[in-house]
Amino acid sequence: MAIAIVILILVVLTVVFHFVSPWWFTPIASNWTFIDTTIDITFWVTGIVFILVNVFLAYCVYRYRYKKSQQAAYEPENRKLEIWLSVITTIGVIAMLAPGLWVWSEFINPPEDAHEVEVIGQQWSWTYRFPGEDGILGKADSQLINVDNPFGISADDPNGYDDILINSNELHLPVNKPVKLLQRSKDVLHNFSIPQFRVKMDLVPGLTSYFWFTPTKAGTYEIFCQELCGVAHYLMRGSIVVEEQADFEQWLQQQPTFLASRQHQQADLVAGKAQYQMCTSCHGSEGQGVESLNGPAISHLAPWYIKRQLVYFKHKIRGDQSSDPIGAPMAAIAQTLVDEQQIKNLIAYIEQLPKPNKVSIAQGNIEKGKSLYKNCGLCHGSDGQGNYALNAPRLAGQHDWYLKRQLQNFSERVRGAHPQDMFGNQMLLMVKSLKNEQDLNNIVAYIGSLPFSGSSQVQNSQPLPEPELTARNEEVE
Amino acid sequence: MSHVAIADQVDNSHHPKSFITKYIWSQDHKVIAIQYGITAIFVGLVALVLSGLMRLQLGFPDTFSFIDPASYLQFVTMHGMIMVIYLLTALLLGGFGNYLIPLMIGARDMVFPYLNMLSYWTYLLSVIILLASFFVTGGASGAGWTLYPPQAILSGTPGGDAGIILMLISLAVFIIAFTMGGLNYVTTILQARTKGMTLMRMPLSIWGIFVATILGLLAFPALLVSAIMMLLDKTLATSFFMPAVVSLGENLSYGGGSPILFQHLFWFFGHPEVYIVALPAFGMVSDVIATHARKNIFGYRMMVWAIVAIGGLSFVVWAHHMYVSGMNPYFGFFFATTTLIIAVPTALKVYNWVLTLWQGNIRLTVPMLFAIGFIFTFTHGGLTGLFLGNVVVDLPLSDTYFVVGHFHMVMGVSPVMVLYAAIYHWFPKITGRYLNNRLGKWHFWLTFLGTYAIYLPMHYLGFLGVPRRYFAMGDSALMSESAASLNASITVSAIIVGVVQLVFIFNLIWSLKHGKKAPANPWGGTTLEWQTPQTPPQHGNWGPNLPVVYRWAYDFSVPGHTRDFIPQNEPKSTGDENSYEPDLQEREK
Amino acid sequence: MSVIKQLVSKPWESVDTQTSLSEANDITLARYTALKWLLAVISVMFMLFFITFISRTQFTDFQALAGEPWLPLSDKTPLWINTAYIGLASIILQILCKRFSRLPRWKVNSLLLLTLLSSMLFLSGQLAVWNNLMAQGYYLQTNPANSFFYLLTGLHGLHLLLGVLILTVTLIQCLLKPVSDKMSRRIDLTRIYWHYLLLLWLVLFFLLTSSTETFKAIAEFCGL
């Protein structure tokens, strides 16, 4: 008896929940409104069946509940009824399937005028490639990937020379232009998905998958990886900026081509040494770090990392006066580096400084720190040596007080929360596994115990041009 | 007697003598069934705890220091694998298959009792290997229960070394155990039916178990094949599934293989696996419904055909799990069509269950409550399947919480509802005592309402686009404050449902000693297992003579008979029918 | 009654009378039924391997082991010799089963021994092929063709090895116990298993030593 009423209530509640739920599809921002229509049809068909079956179920349970005087009917089958039910069900199924298949045939045939963009997935970030002026993407192969050629583009294919490389999680697309995304993966399966666009597709290492859509609304949308890709799967996010054609072209022009990324300017060590004079007071004459002035050790850091941080400071992505007063002086000093060549010289000078042989080490439980470090080691290396491929800086060889402060900065969102800090933001969520002061001390103590003489090949790589940020300078400030 | 069955050649040396041969190294199908059942319920509890831990993290992120991203993925993986294979498959086929087949078809035992015993011990071994993977360096595999390469065997995934190796070995051992059991079930059903038990006189439970076993025998090899090849990829650096990859900045020596090939193999097993779980549940729930509604199952022939049709079709729908996998997109047309075709026989089964209740005389006992709960949850889960099966609708929904909600509804909650219905239904036969009625009702209501409170909202998180297998959402715009609180409410429901299952475990143990004594045929069942000379049935099941079957399995409320059921082994009206009075205490007042 | 006819019958109509009771099935057939299903399971497993193999042959890195004169399996003589061994085992078992009742005990035993011997020769012959391949630098992981060769011949060998173990037990029983129906049935089951493994080997032999062109043709035929 109760069960009949409860089933009725559940049916009503489900329907009410469905209509009042604030949790529903995000407003669509692409051309795939047909998908939403198909979902609506499916909802109507399945909704009606759900209500009818369960209301009838509740009725039967109520009407035919046990009574001593009552005898059940004896009816092994009813051909006519069963045939009718099969026919009606089949019609319902066709009503859902037919529009579905039609939309699917649209989905798998991109229009002729769709422009191509390549999406490259790796654990746990996104990069992109535009075909450049010739409109053709150069050949690429995972086997060609190395530190100097992270996109794995073939140097033998001239079509690839003008390809534009976006070494960032952020992709820009022009509004109302159909785009065909060609996808490949460096390591494992990923899935490129933007809820507002409704469509998604896996990235599969070893082959190129594709799908297409037309962004129809300007705005910034989140990209999620939706195929489990390892420990930091949940951090594999990006953003897609849909903007007017002119803005898009301006952005695109500031990105380096493949050829430009291969041309390394000669660094001038003498100029670099002169430039370094302004660093000595805080970072020490050998880049060993000065605690009293909050200057971390820098001589052991990889060039790509130093460069990224200099650019970040220069554009106040790090070192904002109000939230990060300790980093602010660095932001001021970074303003004095006016061009690419100066940064280059400075980094070249820092790189040849002797590596530190002594850092201050915190007191803490190394064993506990080791187990906490398990999740860090995947990106930063089991010896804290850093990994260029994962945008993870070297940790071993850094002072305890600096590491601890950065971890605190990440957990207080002083660092990494800036929308243009494309790689630092992964630390925001990662650092949450450190729950208290004690955890911080333990993990810093463990990092201090790591050997820091070993320098991996990755450390000595040439930095790849960072996406140019000057255009959006005003926005940053 | 012309029909001397193997087990009918009464062989006294075969009878168990000591405690060990009776309960440990037993070859009696009933004891083996209970061994299977206890082991499966035990690992099921482990998996339940894992799901609770997962939910704690999802509902209240950044609160629990003992759950980090790596261990979260390990919980996800082990929860899924245990629930699907080591609990549901093992309990439905190894447990109920073993218990019911010989009793329902009128045999003394399985045709190969020794093989049957071996099957259980091999299964136990696979469980031990699986659980051992928690304790090796790097811990259990965190690759997701689908174990997709390359991710599953690379170092960016927790348990990418020892964990995944043990997982694959455990699966291979399980498949061997299943094949031994499965050959036994199929052969027993085909060769050891008692006199008069034609195929169409078999109860639907047996039909479900029979077709599911065949599916298992033909589908598990696909898992074995993929497990073997992945094991070689992992340990001996072959490249069956492995393309050239740069893992965490390091170029590995693999090259040329295809990860999609693995997915095809996996789902060629994985989809039939859904029906390996569902079909026995379909069968058993049909018997529970018919018995407690005192009415023959509506459209028995249609039910049998539907089971066979679903079984056959289940082999040609596998790639609907791969619409967005990057496979040839033209496959989408074929697999969407077959998938939606399979909805028709499945829908007919639902109609027939409800039509069985129609004009019945429904006793709302605890097993019946669970059976009605099953119809509701299965209808819900089946209908959401139509979203995911239709290829374009799958585009926005795949890999979101909608999928999680859907498959938990259809192959988590629904089969578990049937399992509970079955346990409450057959417990009096297995032990000679009823399970406690009051606890049973609490158990039903909290489980039924609690699981709906867990999984209904999950679908809506999926509509939002919240991805599955995310350790935390962080500050995503998708995870609004209201969505986060919805997530927390799901966790609260999940914890309640989890705790309620302990009430059930308590009920099982308590009723074993203190439950009300049950008669041989407490529900007035027609099928043979209720007609055994002793309750619980002794070794050999039938005493000196095997039963002879005269009629189909659903002669309830036959017009012109005073008693509202006629057992299968009763010849035409013997005249000495006692009027059947149901046990009043077991009825809802 | 055919299965279809049974499936469309209306069980609630055919009630009751003692005379219409169908006979219970013959339990001696159980072992044959189980063996048939086991062979079906093994076939499914190998079928899936074959499909995987054929589709893998179409990837660019695949280099067939035969087809060109310098490839290691172009000279098929050792494999033909192995085929002869396993074929011989199959033939002996066939003869043995045909004439089981008429043959004297010692002949039965020696024929069984002969089957075991030629099966062992097959296995050691396969091992020799493996060693030969490895000596030429065709290791398991160097190419998917090699991987599949070792894997499939290895699995086939494993199945034969299991058969050999069971047959050894049978032989010991034949030596110790009087001949019985049970024994003859057991040897008959072994016979079916050996025929099956012979057939499986022939398919494997054909597939593993095909040339690139043959693979292409098969793949096209299968629509892969």
Side-chain angles (χ1 to χ4, degrees):
Chain A
M1 185 65 185
I3 182 86
I5 296 163
V6 168
I7 284 181
L8 267 187
I9 293 173
L10 281 184
V11 171
V12 173
L13 276 183
T14 307
V15 174
V16 170
F17 183 86
H18 175 74
F19 284 108
V20 304
S21 158
W23 309 290
W24 193 239
F25 282 111
T26 45
I28 192 162
S30 78
N31 59 320
W32 291 115
T33 47
F34 284 137
I35 291 184
D36 286 13
T37 314
T38 318
I39 291 175
D40 286 340
I41 296 173
T42 313
F43 247 114
W44 280 106
V45 175
T46 55
I48 289 168
V49 175
F50 176 74
I51 294 169
L52 287 182
V53 168
N54 285 312
V55 169
F56 186 61
L57 170 68
Y59 167 76
C60 287
V61 172
Y62 170 76
R63 169 69 184 77
Y64 300 105
R65 66 191 188 280
Y66 179 76
K67 291 183 200 105
K68 200 159 184 192
S69 56
Q70 181 176 267
Q71 198 187 11
Y74 185 83
E75 189 185 24
E77 65 180 19
N78 181 337
R79 299 300 299 151
K80 223 168 151 186
L81 182 60
E82 283 175 276
I83 289 169
W84 268 111
L85 286 172
S86 320
V87 169
I88 293 170
T89 311
T90 312
I91 291 171
V93 162
I94 291 171
M96 289 180 284
L97 183 63
L101 293 184
W102 179 73
V103 181
W104 181 248
S105 70
E106 296 282 296
F107 175 72
I108 64 179
N109 292 307
E112 293 280 303
D113 61 337
H115 68 271
E116 291 186 347
V117 179
E118 187 180 54
V119 178
I120 302 143
Q122 67 165 74
Q123 285 169 328
W124 292 280
S125 59
W126 304 99
T127 49
Y128 313 93
R129 179 161 68 123
F130 284 84
E133 272 169 24
D134 61 358
I136 302 168
L137 288 164
K139 287 198 183 72
D141 189 341
S142 291
Q143 275 159 334
L144 298 173
I145 292 173
N146 60 43
V147 277
D148 291 328
N149 187 3
F151 287 73
I153 298 167
S154 164
D156 302 331
D157 182 5
N159 288 329
Y161 293 168
D162 65 345
D163 286 2
I164 299 164
L165 310 183
I166 317 292
N167 188 27
S168 157
N169 280 324
E170 187 178 275
L171 172 68
H172 289 231
L173 287 177
V175 70
N176 288 328
K177 288 271 163 64
V179 54
K180 179 182 180 187
L181 293 184
L182 296 163
Q183 309 192 108
R184 67 190 165 94
S185 164
K186 290 183 190 174
D187 37 38
V188 303
L189 302 173
H190 301 284
N191 184 302
F192 189 81
S193 147
I194 303 116
Q196 286 86 348
F197 293 174
R198 301 290 187 267
V199 284
K200 58 165 77 86
M201 191 55 71
D202 276 8
L203 290 76
V204 185
L207 60 85
T208 306
S209 57
Y210 73 91
F211 69 104
W212 78 277
F213 58 87
T214 309
T216 54
K217 253 193 240 166
T220 305
Y221 307 100
E222 283 176 280
I223 300 166
F224 295 93
C225 175
Q226 294 211 348
E227 183 68 66
L228 180 56
C229 60
V231 172
H233 169 52
Y234 72 110
L235 296 177
M236 188 166 167
R237 320 235 183 134
S239 60
I240 198 159
V241 177
V242 177
E243 58 198 1
E244 292 304 325
Q245 181 75 22
D247 297 335
F248 166 73
E249 272 166 20
Q250 199 187 7
W251 169 82
L252 196 64
Q253 260 164 19
Q254 283 149 4
Q255 311 303 324
T257 62
F258 174 58
L259 214 54
S261 79
R262 302 284 276 186
Q263 285 161 349
H264 302 303
Q265 299 129 304
Q266 207 52 47
D268 182 349
L269 279 179
V270 179
K273 184 172 182 182
Q275 216 127 45
Y276 188 74
Q277 291 314 309
M278 65 181 175
C279 314
T280 44
S281 57
C282 296
H283 292 287
S285 59
E286 294 188 339
Q288 72 274 39
V290 177
E291 180 169 9
S292 55
L293 290 167
N294 298 314
I298 51 173
S299 59
H300 68 297
L301 292 172
W304 61 265
Y305 179 73
I306 300 180
K307 177 172 180 189
R308 179 177 299 156
Q309 298 313 312
L310 283 173
V311 172
Y312 278 9
F313 277 120
K314 187 174 165 187
H315 297 293
K316 301 262 179 71
I317 293 168
R318 271 186 82 178
D320 179 70
Q321 182 66 47
S322 56
S323 61
D324 184 13
I326 298 174
M330 185 65 215
I333 287 176
Q335 297 298 325
T336 66
L337 296 164
V338 282
D339 64 21
E340 178 92 357
Q341 186 64 42
Q342 282 184 330
I343 294 179
K344 185 113 203 151
N345 296 342
L346 184 58
I347 292 172
Y349 180 75
I350 294 171
E351 212 198 337
Q352 53 81 46
L353 289 171
K355 304 291 168 248
N357 50 22
K358 204 167 81 187
V359 294
S360 58
I361 294 170
Q363 294 300 308
N365 185 330
I366 292 181
E367 274 309 304
K368 280 189 183 152
K370 185 175 181 181
S371 88
L372 286 168
Y373 187 76
K374 197 175 63 185
N375 285 308
C376 316
L378 278 165
C379 290
H380 292 280
S382 53
D383 286 335
Q385 73 272 33
N387 190 337
Y388 174 77
L390 292 153
N391 297 299
R394 183 180 177 87
L395 302 176
Q398 188 54 276
H399 297 288
D400 59 337
W401 45 269
Y402 180 74
L403 289 173
K404 190 171 163 186
R405 190 168 64 235
Q406 294 312 308
L407 287 170
Q408 281 164 339
N409 281 351
F410 279 120
S411 69
E412 286 156 16
R413 307 177 62 82
V414 169
R415 185 177 173 186
H418 192 284
Q420 281 179 288
D421 189 351
M422 294 318 298
F423 304 105
N425 60 15
Q426 294 196 332
M427 281 300 293
L428 292 178
L429 281 171
M430 220 56 202
V431 81
K432 289 191 176 169
S433 56
L434 306 170
K435 307 284 189 235
N436 51 40
E437 179 90 21
Q438 199 53 48
D439 280 353
L440 282 181
N441 288 337
N442 292 342
I443 197 158
V444 169
Y446 177 71
I447 294 170
S449 75
L450 294 169
F452 55 90
S453 51
S455 168
S456 71
Q457 163 244 348
V458 177
Q459 292 293 306
N460 302 321
S461 65
Q462 288 292 336
L464 187 83
E466 291 288 326
E468 197 47 66
L469 292 156
T470 40
R472 299 173 71 201
N473 225 354
E474 311 90 279
E475 202 180 307
V476 171
E477 284 158 5
Chain B
M1 264 179 148
S2 57
H3 64 287
V4 178
I6 267 193
D8 212 18
Q9 301 156 349
V10 179
D11 173 10
N12 278 327
S13 66
H14 193 72
H15 274 294
K17 292 190 181 77
S18 68
F19 177 82
I20 289 190
T21 45
K22 201 166 172 190
Y23 295 110
I24 310 288
W25 303 112
S26 173
Q27 299 184 23
D28 182 350
H29 72 102
K30 298 182 291 297
V31 178
I32 294 172
I34 292 165
Q35 290 173 326
Y36 254 114
I38 291 172
T39 315
I41 289 175
F42 168 74
V43 276
L45 283 177
V46 173
L48 187 73
V49 171
L50 293 179
S51 69
L53 291 172
M54 269 151 61
R55 278 315 316 177
L56 283 180
Q57 165 61 28
L58 292 173
F60 309 100
D62 318 321
T63 319
F64 304 96
S65 55
F66 51 90
I67 309 170
D68 62 15
S71 51
Y72 171 78
L73 288 180
Q74 291 168 329
F75 299 159
V76 171
T77 308
M78 295 298 270
H79 165 78
M81 197 57 107
I82 290 176
M83 286 298 194
V84 172
I85 293 186
Y86 299 85
L87 169 71
L88 287 174
T89 310
L91 188 51
L92 281 161
L93 293 178
F96 280 98
N98 245 321
Y99 197 87
L100 294 179
I101 291 171
L103 280 169
M104 280 189 155
I105 64 170
R108 293 202 181 278
D109 206 322
M110 290 288 174
V111 288
F112 310 116
Y114 185 76
L115 196 66
N116 205 18
M117 177 186 80
L118 221 53
S119 163
Y120 168 71
W121 290 102
T122 319
Y123 162 66
L124 184 66
L125 178 67
S126 77
V127 169
I128 292 170
I129 296 174
L130 185 79
L131 295 182
S133 74
F134 275 114
F135 305 101
V136 295
T137 343
S141 173
W145 87 280
T146 49
L147 306 178
Y148 282 175
Q151 180 248 133
I153 60 173
L154 294 182
S155 49
T157 298
D161 274 317
I164 186 71
I165 292 176
L166 284 182
M167 166 77 84
L168 293 172
I169 292 175
S170 167
L171 284 174
V173 174
F174 178 88
I175 292 165
I176 293 168
F178 179 84
T179 308
M180 292 196 281
L183 288 174
N184 225 337
Y185 310 153
V186 170
T187 314
T188 306
I189 292 173
L190 287 176
Q191 304 288 352
R193 298 195 307 277
T194 189
K195 202 171 175 182
M197 181 61 88
T198 60
L199 284 177
M200 291 305 269
R201 279 180 178 169
M202 294 197 305
L204 285 169
S205 297
I206 298 299
W207 269 108
I209 290 167
F210 179 51
V211 176
T213 307
I214 294 175
L215 291 190
L217 287 175
L218 302 183
F220 270 112
L223 184 62
L224 184 65
V225 164
S226 42
I228 290 174
M229 293 204 277
M230 187 141 86
L231 206 54
L232 290 179
D233 277 0
K234 175 71 208 167
T235 55
L236 297 173
T238 54
S239 296
F240 291 113
F241 302 130
M242 295 295 284
V245 295
V246 185
S247 169
L248 305 180
E250 191 187 342
N251 293 56
L252 301 184
S253 66
Y254 297 112
S258 162
I260 291 190
L261 205 56
F262 175 89
Q263 298 181 25
H264 278 297
L265 282 172
F266 182 86
W267 289 113
F268 185 79
F269 145 76
H271 198 79
E273 168 65 28
V274 174
Y275 291 100
I276 292 169
V277 171
L279 292 182
F282 288 174
M284 295 194 311
V285 84
S286 305
D287 286 349
V288 171
I289 289 175
T291 307
H292 295 267
R294 312 310 301 158
K295 183 165 171 258
N296 60 66
I297 194 80
F298 185 86
Y300 172 84
R301 294 195 299 165
M302 186 64 98
M303 294 300 251
V304 173
W305 300 339
I307 287 178
V308 175
I310 293 170
L313 281 171
S314 73
F315 279 104
V316 290
V317 298
W318 78 88
H320 67 215
H321 298 268
M322 300 167 57
Y323 288 147
V324 296
S325 71
M327 66 169 179
N328 184 342
Y330 286 92
F331 287 2
F333 294 109
F334 175 77
F335 286 102
T337 310
T338 51
T339 303
L340 265 71
I341 289 174
I342 214 171
V344 178
T346 315
L348 286 174
K349 292 196 76 80
V350 175
Y351 302 150
N352 285 1
W353 288 320
V354 185
L355 287 171
T356 304
L357 295 176
W358 186 51
Q359 298 188 335
N361 194 14
I362 303 164
R363 302 221 160 86
L364 292 170
T365 54
V366 175
M368 190 57 162
L369 288 177
F370 274 106
I372 293 170
F374 161 81
I375 297 178
F376 181 83
T377 57
F378 184 74
T379 307
H380 193 282
L383 290 172
T384 51
L386 291 169
F387 286 75
L388 297 170
N390 199 353
V391 56
V392 284
V393 185
D394 185 59
L395 281 173
L397 296 177
S398 66
D399 295 313
T400 67
Y401 268 89
F402 188 90
V403 178
V404 180
H406 158 70
F407 72 68
H408 276 94
M409 213 60 188
V410 79
M411 82 170 288
V413 178
S414 300
V416 168
M417 284 284 181
V418 177
L419 277 172
Y420 286 136
I423 291 172
Y424 283 94
H425 184 71
W426 277 291
F427 194 80
K429 178 53 64 179
I430 298 170
T431 64
R433 288 171 192 274
Y434 289 106
L435 280 167
N436 184 289
N437 206 33
R438 184 182 291 265
L439 286 178
K441 285 200 170 149
W442 275 102
H443 177 214
F444 166 73
W445 285 111
L446 289 171
T447 307
F448 178 57
L449 297 175
T451 48
Y452 202 57
I454 298 172
Y455 296 113
L456 180 71
M458 262 192 204
H459 292 88
Y460 288 81
L461 288 179
F463 287 131
L464 267 178
V466 178
R468 64 192 281 211
R469 292 169 167 172
Y470 263 37
F471 172 70
M473 280 303 284
D475 318 299
S476 165
L478 282 188
M479 212 57 179
S480 61
E481 215 155 280
S482 70
S485 56
L486 188 69
N487 225 347
S489 83
I490 293 175
T491 298
V492 173
S493 311
I495 301 295
I496 293 173
V497 171
V499 172
V500 168
Q501 307 318 304
L502 297 181
V503 174
F504 167 71
I505 301 289
F506 170 78
N507 195 352
L508 274 187
I509 297 167
W510 184 84
S511 300
L512 213 53
K513 266 265 153 68
H514 310 284
K516 198 164 83 76
K517 281 242 163 66
N521 189 358
W523 317 112
T526 53
T527 41
L528 289 182
E529 81 275 22
W530 301 110
Q531 327 303 336
T532 52
Q534 297 100 359
T535 298
Q538 299 292 301
H539 189 244
N541 294 347
W542 303 109
N545 294 315
L546 282 175
V548 178
V549 170
Y550 298 94
R551 56 183 70 241
W552 73 322
Y554 299 97
D555 263 342
F556 289 105
S557 306
V558 181
H561 287 255
T562 45
R563 199 169 53 162
D564 68 353
F565 72 103
I566 312 173
Q568 281 192 281
N569 60 346
E570 199 170 284
K572 202 165 193 116
S573 314
T574 47
D576 58 344
E577 286 168 9
N578 301 316
S579 161
Y580 169 68
E581 265 305 308
D583 195 332
L584 285 172
Q585 257 217 296
E586 295 308 313
R587 202 153 34 83
E588 197 192 36
K589 283 154 199 126
Chain C
M1 233 188 329
S2 76
V3 176
I4 301 289
K5 218 169 159 191
Q6 278 198 45
L7 283 177
V8 296
S9 67
K10 296 182 176 174
W12 53 90
E13 287 174 352
S14 62
V15 202
D16 284 343
T17 50
Q18 282 281 3
T19 48
S20 71
L21 286 178
S22 71
E23 281 300 298
N25 295 287
D26 184 4
I27 208 74
T28 53
L29 288 176
R31 283 168 200 282
Y32 287 93
T33 311
L35 182 66
K36 268 183 226 158
W37 282 96
L38 177 66
L39 295 186
V41 172
I42 299 174
S43 306
V44 171
M45 183 177 85
F46 275 96
M47 271 309 290
L48 290 166
F49 270 123
F50 293 159
I51 294 169
T52 318
F53 177 56
I54 294 296
S55 65
R56 191 72 177 78
T57 57
Q58 299 308 300
F59 286 73
T60 44
D61 64 328
F62 187 89
Q63 285 158 359
L65 285 171
E68 305 292 343
W70 59 83
L71 290 170
L73 293 184
S74 291
D75 176 18
K76 300 195 178 79
T77 329
L79 291 174
W80 279 120
I81 296 173
N82 289 349
T83 313
Y85 288 139
I86 190 173
L88 184 67
S90 221
I91 293 168
I92 298 171
L93 278 174
Q94 183 68 31
I95 295 172
L96 184 59
C97 289
K98 266 261 144 62
R99 310 200 178 155
F100 187 80
S101 48
R102 280 168 281 158
L103 285 177
R105 279 283 296 270
W106 68 270
K107 272 195 179 168
V108 170
N109 292 345
S110 46
L111 281 178
L112 279 179
L113 193 66
L114 215 57
T115 312
L116 277 178
L117 269 180
S118 65
S119 305
M120 298 295 270
L121 280 173
F122 171 80
L123 287 176
S124 61
Q126 295 286 78
L127 264 183
V129 174
W130 278 20
N131 284 332
N132 198 11
L133 273 178
M134 278 193 265
Q136 294 179 55
Y138 289 85
Y139 298 107
L140 175 76
Q141 67 274 42
T142 30
N143 195 276
N146 313 358
S147 313
F148 271 107
F149 184 85
Y150 288 105
L151 176 61
L152 293 179
T153 51
L155 278 175
H156 177 262
L158 203 65
H159 281 91
L160 189 65
L161 196 65
L162 277 177
V164 165
L165 288 180
I166 291 168
L167 196 61
T168 313
V169 176
T170 315
L171 177 62
I172 293 168
Q173 286 187 350
C174 277
L175 289 171
L176 299 178
K177 286 186 193 166
V179 185
S180 65
D181 270 3
K182 205 176 154 193
M183 210 71 83
S184 84
R185 217 167 38 234
R186 201 160 165 173
I187 296 171
D188 196 43
L189 290 166
T190 321
R191 171 186 66 93
I192 298 173
Y193 188 64
W194 247 258
H195 288 348
Y196 174 81
L197 286 183
L198 171 64
L199 201 71
L200 183 61
W201 164 245
L202 291 175
V203 179
L204 277 182
F205 188 5
F206 166 72
L207 271 183
L208 293 170
T209 60
S210 289
S211 64
T212 317
E213 293 77 47
T214 322
F215 285 132
K216 212 173 156 205
I218 301 174
E220 256 168 41
F221 181 76
C222 300
L224 286 166

